[in-house]
Amino acid sequence: MAQDILIIEEVDVRRADDPDDTRVFSINKMGLPSLKRKEAEHTPGGGVGTINFLLPMADAFEPKFAVKGLDLDVLRKFGFTAGVFDKWTFAASLRNKRTNKLVPVRTTIQGIVSEWAPGEHTPGELLDCDHTLKEVRYVDLVIDGEEIFAWSFYGRFWRSGGVDLFAEYRTALGA
């Protein structure tokens, strides 16, 4: 069966512990974190070339979002908030073009807003402000109520499609 076409229609970013902290009117763009496996390059002395071995680890996640105007909440709580990592909800609505059904998307991210980059301001235009999260220690992706992906640095799990890819490693280490 052919894959459905899912079109993003709306997005929002908010603090997970404050559902009223919406940026639905000011958000300009939202970048879910890239999912990339860690690679280890190897060139054997007697080999005919180089290979990049994939490891059971993920590269660092760096989600981003941009708003029009100044986001005073982010600026007042820039970086650490009372020494605690912020937990964010990146939300979107997808339209399934075959069924016309609206599909909710939620990504929960625990990390630190490490970069605030205001763009150049031109009179008569709204200022773009980009935000980047780093030191991400938890991320998940839930589409239409189904967990597609979940990863936790300290929880030491990586679930994809309901399968914990790291379970056998924890077992091998006796943890």
Side-chain angles (χ1 to χ4, degrees):
M1 175 187 243
Q3 295 290 318
D4 287 338
I5 297 172
L6 301 173
I7 305 294
I8 294 178
E9 291 190 351
E10 292 186 316
V11 296
D12 187 19
V13 172
R14 57 187 172 267
R15 292 186 187 279
D17 62 352
D18 184 1
D20 294 330
D21 179 49
T22 180
R23 287 163 181 76
V24 73
F25 294 116
S26 62
I27 192 161
N28 187 31
K29 54 188 166 182
M30 175 181 83
L32 296 177
S34 296
L35 176 58
K36 183 179 177 191
R37 291 188 68 156
K38 191 66 124 171
E39 297 178 0
E41 184 177 290
H42 176 60
T43 306
V48 295
T50 300
I51 186 169
N52 286 336
F53 287 112
L54 295 177
L55 302 175
M57 300 174 193
D59 269 347
F61 296 96
E62 291 187 11
K64 300 176 181 194
F65 67 95
V67 297
K68 290 289 191 179
L70 295 178
D71 188 328
L72 294 179
D73 172 67
V74 170
L75 291 174
R76 287 183 184 116
K77 300 174 185 175
F78 185 77
F80 289 102
T81 301
V84 178
F85 282 64
D86 289 328
K87 189 177 277 188
W88 296 87
T89 299
F90 282 49
S93 60
L94 301 177
R95 177 74 62 186
N96 183 318
K97 297 308 281 184
R98 182 178 56 81
T99 65
N100 202 35
K101 180 183 174 192
L102 199 59
V103 179
V105 176
R106 298 286 180 275
T107 298
T108 303
I109 299 167
Q110 190 173 10
I112 299 172
V113 176
S114 67
E115 184 178 343
W116 174 71
E120 294 180 6
H121 181 67
T122 303
E125 294 180 9
L126 294 174
L127 178 67
D128 282 320
C129 292
D130 295 328
H131 305 77
T132 303
L133 281 77
K134 293 201 179 178
E135 207 171 320
V136 172
R137 48 180 62 194
Y138 176 87
V139 61
D140 67 21
L141 174 64
V142 177
I143 299 177
D144 205 13
E146 177 189 353
E147 181 186 87
I148 304 299
F149 172 84
W151 176 90
S152 174
F153 180 80
Y154 287 109
R156 295 186 60 234
F157 65 80
W158 176 344
R159 291 189 302 266
S160 185
V163 176
D164 187 345
L165 304 173
F166 208 70
E168 67 180 330
Y169 297 95
R170 288 191 310 272
T171 301
L173 293 174

